[in-house]
Amino acid sequence: QVTLVESGGGSVEAGGSLTLSCVVDVGISTYERRCMAWFRQAGGKGREGVAAIPIEGGAALYADSVKGRFTISNDYAKKTLYLHMNDVRPDDTGVYTCASTGRFENRPRNFCPELFISSFPHRGQGAQVTVTS
């Protein structure tokens, strides 16, 4: 059983910064050989992949809408995923969800799939982020 718990959501003014955290518990499984990601969903819109990173480190993937503003990182020892959000905009408002793939068996350790939610079956409950103008 994989559980993910987000924290750090809240309200922030446009142009400001906010950091989301996600603590990962993989139970009796192994923590390695996974890709971690953040998705977001605004009211009335579909879920958007924001960023992803291999759990053991490697190149991160970003949506065009957040490149240069958001940074995803993972603290392997603390089993905690972060999303550092800078220069936020009102259209960054939404529910941000932490997600994980299953454990890869036949992929490189630095593999991440494309940012489709169907590739990340393990998900947290989400954290609301509201950007005010």
Side-chain angles (χ1 to χ4, degrees):
Q1 181 74 12
V2 178
T3 59
L4 304 100
V5 180
E6 302 95 339
S7 62
S11 183
V12 58
E13 289 187 357
S17 299
L18 193 69
T19 295
L20 302 179
S21 301
C22 173
V23 177
V24 183
D25 182 352
V26 297
I28 62 172
S29 182
T30 55
Y31 186 62
E32 60 192 19
R33 291 191 177 274
R34 300 173 189 271
C35 179
M36 304 296 299
W38 288 96
F39 290 83
R40 68 184 181 186
Q41 187 166 22
K45 296 184 180 180
R47 192 170 290 176
E48 176 189 20
V50 175
I53 189 169
I55 206 167
E56 297 172 76
L61 306 174
Y62 293 96
D64 288 343
S65 58
V66 305
K67 279 181 182 176
R69 301 188 298 120
F70 290 11
T71 302
I72 187 172
S73 64
N74 184 52
D75 187 323
Y76 189 89
K78 293 183 178 180
K79 292 184 171 61
T80 301
L81 181 73
Y82 301 97
L83 184 68
H84 308 279
M85 307 165 62
N86 295 317
D87 190 24
V88 295
R89 305 165 182 168
D91 59 5
D92 291 323
T93 295
V95 176
Y96 284 71
T97 301
C98 171
S100 169
T101 64
R103 185 178 186 275
F104 301 130
E105 298 297 337
N106 298 304
R107 296 283 190 177
R109 288 179 180 268
N110 61 350
F111 173 76
C112 268
E114 290 187 55
L115 283 167
F116 296 116
I117 191 64
S118 57
S119 298
F120 296 82
H122 306 292
R123 304 161 200 166
Q125 292 298 308
Q128 176 69 44
V129 173
T130 302
V131 181
T132 59
S133 56

